[in-house]
Every structure is written in structure tokens, then in C-alpha cells.
Amino acid sequence: MGFIEDTLIILVTQVFFFVGGWVFFVKKLFRDYEVHHRLVQLIFSVTFSLSCTMFELIIFEILGVLDSSSRYFHWNLVLYVMLFMVIVLIPFYIGYFIVSNIRIVRLQMIRPLTILIWLVYIYLFWKVGDPFPILSPKQGILSIEQGISRIGVIGVTVMALLSGFGAVNYPYTSMAYFMRPVMPSDIQAIEKRLMQTMDMILVKKKRIALAKKGSVVNGPQNTQGSSGIWGMLKTVTTSVSKGTGENIWQLKQEIAALEELSRQLFLEAHDMHIMQERLQWASTFQGKYFNFLGYFFSLYCMWKICISTINIVFDRVGKKDPVTRGMEIAVHWVGINIDVTFWSQHISFFLVGCIVVTSIRGLLLTLTKFFYAISSSKSSDIIVLVLAQIMGMYFVSSVLLMRMNMPAEYRTIITQVLGELQFNFYHRWFDVIFLVSALSSIGFLYLAHKQGPGEAG
Amino acid sequence: MAAFDKVKVIVVGDSGVGKSSLTYLICHHQPINNPSWTVGCSVEVKLHEYKEGTPDQKTYFIELWDIGGSSSHRNTRSVFYNPTHGIILVHDLTNRKSQQNLQKWLAEVINKDGSSKSRVSSFDDFDPEQFVGSTQDCRQVRSLAAGSSSAVKLSRFFDKVIERRYHCRDGISPFSDKRRTLASLNPKFYHSD
């Protein structure tokens, strides 16, 4: 297989991933918004396509598809383009869109201001690398390692935060043990209170409207000579309408308090609805299955927290990947006679494939939820670019960390391409952030859970 | 304390299209100062003269219920829908998707109304004459000043709602008190270029 055919194959798959990213963008992400700038869509799809290509090259490495020289070339190409996107292109456009959204900036000032912001970003990005022992000092300034090492730090942090929170949140949401029972009568009671509050607000607002109408009918003699500071003081303290004797200012205070109460009641009713839906889901077949899995997952989460603590405390670094260790256990202790090389290849392919698919799917779901929660029609472009940036950094660092999960013979290409990085540092950093994230999620969920039953009474 | 009769009109639309600005402008004749995302529902009242200038003139309260549009609150919103006498659908001119979503909003309100007989699923099921379309900038007072075309359309819409509620109870059809009067308003936001 020559170089040209290999390149063609890779290009075809890249186009395929590009189309996948485009469709995801249109159907899921930008479901409620109109696309004003095609560029944003393009950037997102290109980032997605490059990330998938990286994973694809790892799988090709394991399976031994394509020439190793063309694989190496494409690795370098994809990494350089990805670095360019994440360090240069996306931050520049994020700055550009933010600056264009601010209304007081004139048209000519947008580009220079964006370049300035980008330079500040580059400086901060450089400084990220200082406190961490990530590089041996003999690297040049523009080498691939400088960029990857810093991206790796940020990406590993994001990964560990998400895994820590996800590992704790998944058992919490899927296990029936944690679900509080919600009766329909509770929901009805809250809704009744909410409607009563709304009625009270309405009564007060009607009184204000009538009072205003009364004062208008009585003529404008109330407002003569009430100008400036004395006028303001007078209206605040004695805003009694001459026509009907209502104290408007006090009514407004009461209305503000009632509106706050109505918001609280609405949010409580919303929580109860969510809990009720979760209970209904838990009684379905899928819910029961997830509940069962939840027990295993909580055990896994406990184990992972302990292992991370041990790793940090005893400064332990794993050298063997799970596949080889599994093989060793199978051959030496259990005594199964298997062809190690053959099975090692297939099992690592399976394992790496699973990890790749679940991490892509998990990240896209999380990004979608995040996007729906915080976006509005003005900020949607900016947020999508930020998400594309996070996605790029996340996938680059997951390639970095995946090195640990592959047997030694497949690690070489990653080590070759990514260069002389201190991989052990990244695993240690992942453990630390994972521990912090998991423990704080446990604390946070515990507090949220405790608060619930106390207020529902 | 409400000496006058009242009608309830709900204002629905996607999140961020300008429902709160619109309701505030209609009721207070002033643009809202710093609108924030509506959580739940906020109400405003307006005194409306039904059949103004005729001997039949009567004052009514129009309650505008501005319902927050974030999609996560969908399951809890339905408590505000029933009973309602008029619907104002709002969409943003700079975002075409918000107009396409109005169909879904309409279906949500009608279906949650509990009246299984009138299961309406498209705009065509309503009389075309009930449609009021207008374009205005909710940050400027003069767009709803008395006498402007938007203000005239709006007050005609309110008259229709009141008429439907209080004056058409003669049993023309079984759906007469389940019909809703619709208005579709598009606040336009200027981009400073």
C-alpha cells in the first residue's frame, strides 16, 4: 500500500468525520438557534474531524493497518493542524466574537483589539507551563512538545474534573437508594401555593394600576415642583396616591418579595417533577438495569478514589497496562494457555475502541447539556467556539493518557510523535484532580441531598 | 380589590426573544431596565378600555402572564396554562428558529390545557383574522405609543379576547369557550453596526 492510497483512505475517513460533526452541530447543538456565521460551524466540524482522526490513527496502529511511515507522517500532520487550531485559530475567533458583541467598540477597532487579546492569551498560555515539571529543558521554542505539554495540562484537568464528577454523579442519579419518594399530592400542594402567590401578586399589581389611574385622573398637580433631589425624596417616602390613598412604594416592596417567593416555589415544584420523572424511569426495565449497574459503578468509584490516593501518597507510577497485566494473570496464575501476542492485539483494540467511543460520546453529551444550560442567542457563537476549544484539548490529552492503556509495542508511535514528555506527570496530575473533583462532588451532592427533604415538609 | 373583570393572556416563546421586555412595555409604556431570564412566570396587569369611544365602554384588567421559556422547565410550566383566554406568541426576528419553534409552543399550550376535544396542532386551525403581526423595538417607547399601528392592533386583540370571554357565551359551537385568540408578535432587536 503506497503513500498515496494511505493518504486517500485517511482523507475519506476525515471527510466522513467532518460530515458527522456538521450534522451533530446542526441537529443537536444549534437546535434552537440560527447560524449567523458559517465559520463557527466549520471550525467545530474541523476540530471534531481532527480529533476523530487521531483516535483512528491509534486504532490503525494497533491493528497494523497502513504503512508505518505514512501513519507517522499523518500523525505529525494531524497534530500540527490540531495545535494550530487550538492555540491560534479558535482563541483568535473567540476574541473576535466577544469584541464584536460589545456595543461600544467601533468597527475599525475590532481587529486590533482582537490581536491584542490573542497576544495576552498566548502569554498566559505560555505561563501555564511554568509551575509544572512537564518538559526537559532541551526543547526548542516552536517544537511540538511545547504546545502539547501545555494543552495536555489543561486538557487533563478538564478530563479529570469531568470523570471525577461523572463517577460520583452516575451512581447518585441511577440508584434508587438515593431517590426520595415524591407523592403527587406534594406536587399539587406546591403548585397550589405557587398559584396562590401569583394571585396575591396580581391583586397588589391591580391595586397599583388602579392607584396610578386614579392619580392620572386627578390631574398632574401632584408633580408640580417635585424636581431634583427633594422631589426624589418626596416620591420615595410619601408616594401616596391622592386619589385612592394607596402606598405605592410599600406595595412594590411587597410585590418584589412575593415574586422572589414565587420563583422559589417554581424551582421547588420543578425539582419535584424531576424527582417524580426519575422515580418513574427507575421502575422501568432500563431503570432497573441502570440501578444494578449503579452498584458496580459505585464500587468502581470507591476503588478509583482509593487507588488515586495510594498513587499520590506512595508516589507510585504504574508501568504495566491492564491488558498485559490481565494476560500475565491469566497465563501465570490461572494457567490458561493462550497466544499472548494475538490476544493482546485484539483485546487492546477492543479496550481502546471502547474507551474512544465512550469518551467521544460522553464528551459530546456533556457539551450539549452545558450548551443548552448557558447559551442565549447572542452568545451562542462564542460558547460553541469555547466548546470546540475544550473538545480539542480534551481529545489531545486523552490520546496522551491512553498511552498508559496500551501494551508497550503500540506505545512507541505516541512516544515518538509526542516526543519527550513526562508522561508520568500527567497521570499523577490526573489522579490529583480526579480525587479533588470526586471528593468535592460527593460533598456537594451530600449537601444538596440533605437540603431536599428538610424543605419539602 | 379588583373591581373590574379580568382576562388572562399568556405570553410564550423561546428563551431570550423578548417576552419580558414586551410585557413590560405594554403595561408600563416604558422599556424595561435590565431584563434577566424569567424563572417561572412573571405577571403584569394593564387596564384596558373595552370598546373605547362607544357607549359600551367598559374597563377590564388584562393579566399578562410572561412565562419563562427555558426548555428545562417544560414539565413545571403547565401549571400556568390553565385557564387562559388568549395567547401571545413571541419570536425574535434575528433568529429564524424561534419562529419555527412557535408551532411547538402552541402545541404545548393547547395540549396541556386539558381539553382533549380541541387538539389543535397547527396554525391553520385558527381563524386567520385573529392573527396580529407586528414588528417593533421593545427598547423604544414610541413603538407602542397610542395611535401607532402596533398599539392599535394590540388593543384590537385585547378587545377580541374580552369579547370571546365575556360576550360570546351564546353557545354557537361546543368549542366556543375553548377557542383561544392568538397574536404573534416579533420584537426586533437592533445590532449596532
Side-chain angles (χ1 to χ4, degrees), chain A residues 26 30-36 102-103 107 191 194-195 198-199 201-203 205-207 209-210 212-213 246 259 262-263 266-267 269-271 273-274 277 372-378, chain B residues 1-4 6 8 14 16 28 37 39-45 47 49 59 61 63 65 71-77 79-80 82 92-98 101 104 139 192-193:
Chain A
V26 167
F30 253 47
R31 199 179 52 173
D32 289 327
Y33 302 110
E34 192 183 331
V35 179
H36 293 290
I102 305 177
R103 274 185 282 177
L107 212 61
E191 287 182 349
L194 178 60
M195 295 310 278
M198 303 304 288
D199 285 333
I201 297 179
L202 276 170
V203 162
K205 287 209 168 172
K206 283 174 188 166
R207 278 162 65 178
L210 282 174
K212 280 199 180 144
K213 181 176 173 207
E246 298 277 9
E259 283 183 338
S262 79
R263 279 191 281 269
F266 181 80
L267 288 175
H270 176 66
D271 284 337
H273 270 116
I274 298 246
E277 283 171 7
Y372 287 160
I374 63 173
S375 71
S376 67
S377 59
K378 275 180 72 178
Chain B
M1 191 54 206
F4 305 117
K6 61 179 171 100
K8 173 176 160 183
D14 275 353
H28 297 263
W37 283 12
V39 174
C41 173
S42 81
V43 283
E44 300 283 351
V45 295
L47 279 165
E49 301 293 337
T59 317
F61 272 122
E63 298 172 3
W65 290 55
S71 47
S72 53
H73 289 154
R74 181 178 314 245
N75 48 4
T76 329
R77 275 201 290 257
V79 68
F80 298 122
N82 197 9
D92 187 358
L93 278 181
T94 62
N95 183 2
R96 265 198 303 249
K97 291 267 174 71
S98 61
N101 286 343
K104 282 192 254 168
R139 291 173 304 181
S192 64
D193 293 335

Side-chain angles (χ1 to χ4, degrees), chain A residues 401-412:
Chain A
L401 289 181
M402 196 177 299
R403 198 182 143 271
M404 189 65 172
N405 284 324
M406 307 196 306
E409 59 261 33
Y410 306 122
R411 285 185 204 176
T412 47

Side-chain angles (χ1 to χ4, degrees), chain B residues 63-155:
Chain B
E63 298 172 3
L64 288 168
W65 290 55
D66 157 34
I67 299 182
S70 54
S71 47
S72 53
H73 289 154
R74 181 178 314 245
N75 48 4
T76 329
R77 275 201 290 257
S78 47
V79 68
F80 298 122
Y81 291 156
N82 197 9
T84 176
H85 311 120
I87 309 177
I88 297 185
L89 300 162
V90 185
H91 68 95
D92 187 358
L93 278 181
T94 62
N95 183 2
R96 265 198 303 249
K97 291 267 174 71
S98 61
Q99 190 173 5
Q100 293 160 4
N101 286 343
L102 287 181
Q103 202 85 278
K104 282 192 254 168
W105 277 104
L106 193 58
E108 183 181 329
V109 174
I110 303 292
N111 292 340
K112 281 288 169 29
D113 226 357
S115 52
S116 55
K117 284 184 234 165
S118 56
R119 198 158 278 270
V120 174
S121 56
S122 75
F123 285 136
D124 303 330
D125 290 3
F126 286 85
D127 295 338
E129 55 160 317
Q130 298 172 11
F131 276 93
V132 174
S134 68
T135 314
Q136 56 207 353
D137 183 359
C138 286
R139 291 173 304 181
Q140 296 186 19
V141 180
R142 57 181 168 78
S143 57
L144 263 188
S148 72
S149 67
S150 311
V152 166
K153 284 184 190 169
L154 206 57
S155 75

